[in-house]
Amino acid sequence: MARRQQGRVSPAQRIEIQIMTTLQLTPEQSLIVHSSVDVLLVQAFAGTGKTSTLIEYARANPHLRILYLAFSKAIQLEAAKRFPTNVTCKTTHGLAWRRSGALYKEAGKLGFINVRDLMQLFSVEAREARVVLTTLERFIQSADAKVQDAHVPSDIMNTAHRARAGQLAARAWDVMRDLQNSALKMTHDGYFKLFQLSNPDLSMECDVILGDEWQDTNPVTHALVSAQQCRKVFVGDSHQSIFAFRGAVNAMKQVKAEQVLRLTHSFRFGSGIAQLATKILAGLKGEKHPLVGRGRNESVFTVDRTRPYTVIARSNGTLFAETVALLGRVKFHLVGLEEDRDRNLTYAPFEKLVDVHYVLTHQGHLARDAFIRAFKSPAQLKDYAGAADDKELLMLVKIAEDYGRNVPALVSRIKAEVLRDGHDAHVTLTTAHRSKGLEWDQVVLCSDFEEFIGDKGDLRRATTQELVQEANLLYVAATRALRALEKNRQILEIEQLLAKANFELPKEQALPAPAAAPAKAPAAAAAPVAPRAEGLAATMHSAEEAARAAQPPVQLAGELPKLPHDFHKRALLEQVQHAILVVGLLDLGELAALLARTREDTARILGNLIAKGHISARLFAHEPAIAASATAAQTQAAAPQAAIDFL
């Protein structure tokens, strides 16, 4: 399994290392790294090195204060290890924490809101409470200052009912904001909304904002960032927008960019999977640009089940069935595991399944989830799920009824057998939504995805938001494979229909010429060779040549001394000395790439060399990981042989 072969290197780091070991940016990356426009939009396909390109952008602009925005704490922490020191990495909610979030935590008001909370607050039935909650959530995720009629679900046709939903949502928002009123909690999205409404000026803290994975942002975040008076770089893949059910929109379409560039060359997989992904996007969505596979492994469409592989399902219902089928047979891991209070591994959807089972079998008092435990009978639970159109709850009810009395025992067996670490598993299981951002050597796609063949045998193109999301999910799932992909029935049917129609894949297009720096930008912010690039662009035969000419000879963007042919056969100490003294590398990431090792291994090697007096600690005073490794090596005097063996 590729993830095991790569050790603890994340997918983004693996792509970065592969790019860096070429010691030269691709022409597409070079145009991005050396762009100096005020608003840059980068459309990037799966596995094309989005984050790695942003890292090089930051390195090419060391004089600028850069803010990198991440959508999760895990991504933010990983980014903080990889970006240079002129970059501050924060989550979107982290921006708002000090000004608004911390206040509600101190008041004990930070938490979540569900339909039952609104039922109790306003003394309304479940259906109306669901409409009010949806209206409230849409307002919080919008760029608007007040609750409006547009936030009320469109299926509410009655004018009076729409007005009442808006009024109740506005009242709920007032209760949420009131630090003294405990009837409703303030949500994390809620305090971020308060931050956006305060019109903060982030230009006091940064010169550039880097927005990664921008296809999954929501209107409130996009409005906040777009309003800032500083340079902005928005990067994302419109086709990986899969969280519309959470209020995310494809903000890529809303960016008013001065320049639009693309990353179409994927370093994750080979040409076979790239062509398949292009078929999905071009056939279902009309994409005009092909995905080009530049991965080291050529694609195959059979999975060897004697070797580790990953199963990707559309729904948790299918995932449960697939997991049950593995019990007692092979070692398995579930993506998205959490720990309960007793540090036992749990998978939230399966835990809720047990609670639903208890309610359906008149044992609701055993349910752990307070919301589900509140239902006093199976009829009450089913009526609520149907009236509130709670799709997750409806799915859990169906699974619980399908597996009957066996549900608690099956979930207990899953918890007992599931492995904490996916690297130790033979089979990894995940939903398509949870698979985003991950990759595996071998992937099996379940056949529970949306049907794209109509009743009359025609192709259902993604012309509605729902079908766009489903097509995106299929694309995301298919592009998780590094080498081997077992297609599902939906993909096979799409391919067959496209073949009958003699469908032709789009051709790769020429790159645009480098954009000149804006006149109002300070000289230091312009690309060092912009005048030369501008002059040459008119005479060169291709934009690719112009991109190469625009690339300044700095660090990895330029040419480095050629490595000796026997470099990696030399003693490790000699390799490190050559990298530092001859090549001139003092950046941990660059040294890791040159030595073909992970950052962690490289930090440990350098720490040991510092502890043994082979290199000076002052060389890497800017790298905390190396300093920590040196300190650890110095304190391990009881086992000096281990360090010697490692070196």
Side-chain angles (χ1 to χ4, degrees):
M1 184 166 63
R3 295 180 73 191
R4 177 178 296 167
Q5 293 170 358
Q6 293 293 335
R8 297 293 177 178
V9 178
S10 71
Q13 286 175 317
R14 184 191 57 76
I15 290 173
E16 179 184 359
I17 290 172
Q18 186 171 343
I19 294 170
M20 292 170 70
T21 51
T22 66
L23 301 183
Q24 185 176 13
L25 300 174
T26 67
E28 288 181 329
Q29 291 170 323
S30 183
L31 286 174
I32 295 165
V33 166
H34 304 299
S35 173
S36 56
V37 299
D38 283 343
V39 183
L40 172 63
L41 177 65
V42 180
Q43 295 276 8
F45 285 138
T48 53
K50 296 184 288 289
T51 305
S52 303
T53 304
L54 290 181
I55 291 172
E56 292 306 310
Y57 179 94
R59 286 174 174 159
N61 294 280
H63 55 289
L64 297 178
R65 300 169 302 161
I66 299 176
L67 172 64
Y68 173 84
L69 291 181
F71 288 95
S72 73
K73 190 65 177 178
I75 294 175
Q76 179 245 322
L77 292 174
E78 180 179 319
K81 297 176 183 177
R82 299 167 57 203
F83 275 90
T85 55
N86 62 319
V87 180
T88 300
C89 300
K90 290 187 177 182
T91 63
T92 51
H93 289 89
L95 289 175
W97 178 252
R98 282 191 300 171
R99 187 177 298 188
S100 55
L103 297 175
Y104 289 93
K105 182 179 181 180
E106 292 172 4
K109 279 249 323 173
L110 197 60
F112 303 93
I113 298 175
N114 58 43
V115 170
R116 207 163 189 83
D117 295 329
L118 296 175
M119 291 171 64
Q120 294 173 354
L121 178 64
F122 297 126
S123 300
V124 296
E125 296 297 324
R127 186 183 298 274
E128 185 174 6
R130 167 64 68 180
V131 172
V132 174
L133 180 59
T134 301
T135 303
L136 176 62
E137 290 174 339
R138 288 183 175 182
F139 158 68
I140 289 173
Q141 293 160 354
S142 76
D144 302 318
K146 296 180 180 180
V147 177
Q148 300 178 7
D149 180 74
H151 303 138
V152 181
S154 59
D155 59 345
I156 306 301
M157 308 298 292
N158 185 284
T159 302
H161 292 171
R162 294 185 65 84
R164 176 174 165 80
Q167 292 167 2
L168 292 181
R171 284 172 55 189
W173 176 239
D174 290 338
V175 174
M176 288 174 63
R177 291 187 298 166
D178 187 350
L179 287 167
Q180 307 304 318
N181 193 330
S182 61
L184 290 179
K185 298 286 189 181
M186 172 58 73
T187 63
H188 290 275
D189 286 344
Y191 72 70
F192 184 81
K193 177 67 176 178
L194 287 176
F195 181 64
Q196 179 253 338
L197 291 175
S198 70
N199 297 316
D201 183 5
L202 301 181
S203 65
M204 301 295 291
E205 306 174 22
C206 63
D207 305 306
V208 184
I209 297 177
L210 304 181
D212 201 357
E213 299 290 348
W214 209 246
Q215 77 281 347
D216 283 325
T217 193
N218 51 30
V220 63
T221 304
H222 182 68
L224 184 148
V225 174
S226 297
Q228 303 308 310
Q229 300 301 308
C230 60
R231 284 167 61 178
K232 295 173 280 286
V233 180
F234 300 104
V235 182
D237 184 353
S238 297
H239 303 304
Q240 291 192 63
S241 173
I242 59 174
F243 295 106
F245 67 94
R246 294 181 183 172
V249 297
N250 184 9
M252 304 286 285
K253 292 182 178 180
Q254 301 176 6
V255 175
K256 297 179 181 179
E258 297 177 24
Q259 185 180 28
V260 178
L261 297 175
R262 293 181 177 273
L263 289 174
T264 62
H265 290 224
S266 178
F267 299 91
R268 178 178 295 159
F269 38 70
S271 59
I273 293 175
Q275 288 180 5
L276 175 62
T278 302
K279 286 180 185 178
I280 294 172
L281 297 181
L284 298 180
K285 302 183 65 181
E287 173 59 56
K288 302 300 184 184
H289 296 266
L291 180 55
V292 181
R294 293 184 58 180
R296 293 175 177 174
N297 298 314
E298 192 46 68
S299 308
V300 296
F301 293 102
T302 56
V303 166
D304 179 2
R305 282 176 167 75
T306 65
R307 301 177 59 248
Y309 64 94
T310 294
V311 174
I312 301 180
R314 169 65 179 84
S315 70
N316 277 303
T318 300
L319 199 70
F320 183 73
E322 292 286 337
T323 307
V324 168
L326 297 176
L327 291 174
R329 294 177 51 227
V330 297
K331 295 179 179 179
F332 65 89
H333 169 76
L334 283 163
V335 174
L337 288 173
E338 299 173 345
E339 287 186 345
D340 61 18
R341 295 177 181 176
D342 300 323
R343 295 185 62 80
N344 296 315
L345 293 178
T346 66
Y347 184 67
F350 294 174
E351 294 299 313
K352 286 187 177 181
L353 173 62
V354 175
D355 289 344
V356 168
H357 163 79
Y358 284 140
V359 174
L360 293 180
T361 56
H362 303 279
Q363 305 175 78
H365 62 283
L366 298 176
R368 293 188 177 187
D369 187 285
F371 174 66
I372 296 177
R373 188 171 60 245
F375 293 101
K376 303 305 180 184
S377 69
Q380 189 181 30
L381 174 64
K382 292 180 180 180
D383 288 346
Y384 164 79
D389 192 27
D390 190 324
K391 291 182 172 56
E392 179 189 15
L393 198 52
L394 288 169
M395 177 197 69
L396 293 175
V397 168
K398 183 180 185 304
I399 300 172
E401 290 180 335
D402 288 345
Y403 284 86
R405 63 181 184 179
N406 295 320
V407 167
L410 289 173
V411 173
S412 293
R413 286 191 63 186
I414 290 172
K415 292 169 66 174
E417 295 186 27
V418 69
L419 296 181
R420 183 181 301 270
D421 192 336
H423 294 83
D424 298 326
H426 187 81
V427 181
T428 298
L429 302 106
T430 180
T431 62
H433 283 99
R434 291 182 185 269
S435 74
K436 188 172 179 296
L438 302 175
E439 60 185 25
W440 295 273
D441 185 55
Q442 297 196 112
V443 169
V444 175
L445 298 184
C446 295
S447 293
D448 64 337
F449 285 73
E450 181 69 25
E451 302 293 345
F452 283 97
I453 307 301
D455 295 336
K456 298 180 180 180
D458 56 326
L459 187 67
R460 297 176 65 207
R461 299 190 185 275
T463 55
T464 66
Q465 181 181 1
E466 181 179 354
L467 284 179
V468 166
Q469 289 284 295
E470 294 297 335
N472 290 352
L473 265 180
L474 191 60
Y475 161 70
V476 167
T479 54
R480 299 309 96 193
L482 292 166
R483 184 184 60 83
L485 175 69
E486 184 176 298
K487 306 172 189 178
N488 59 11
R489 177 175 52 78
Q490 286 81 15
I491 287 179
L492 292 172
E493 290 176 347
I494 291 170
E495 285 190 305
Q496 184 178 18
L497 197 59
L498 291 177
K500 286 183 179 179
N502 295 318
F503 182 80
E504 293 186 5
L505 295 179
K507 301 293 189 296
E508 193 169 2
Q509 301 180 20
L511 294 175
K520 63 181 179 180
V529 292
R532 174 171 176 258
E534 184 178 2
L536 288 177
T539 60
M540 287 185 173
H541 294 292
S542 71
E544 183 170 327
E545 291 175 322
R548 291 196 183 101
Q551 184 172 314
V554 294
Q555 293 187 353
L556 293 177
E559 293 186 2
L560 298 178
K562 185 176 181 181
L563 292 176
H565 70 279
D566 63 342
F567 176 76
H568 290 289
K569 296 181 180 180
R570 297 182 179 183
L572 188 53
L573 175 59
E574 188 177 348
Q575 290 183 39
V576 172
Q577 290 175 335
H578 183 95
I580 295 173
L581 299 177
V582 180
V583 183
L585 300 183
L586 292 177
D587 177 84
L588 178 57
E590 295 176 2
L591 283 164
L594 199 69
L595 297 174
R597 293 176 178 269
T598 66
R599 288 174 64 96
E600 291 80 2
D601 282 350
T602 306
R604 194 157 57 248
I605 291 169
L606 294 171
N608 283 328
L609 290 174
I610 291 172
K612 296 166 71 67
H614 291 301
I615 57 177
S616 170
R618 295 180 62 184
L619 288 173
F620 297 101
H622 61 290
E623 294 283 5
I626 298 176
S629 294
T631 301
Q634 290 167 347
T635 59
Q636 289 178 345
Q641 189 61 39
I644 294 173
D645 290 343
F646 184 79
L647 291 171

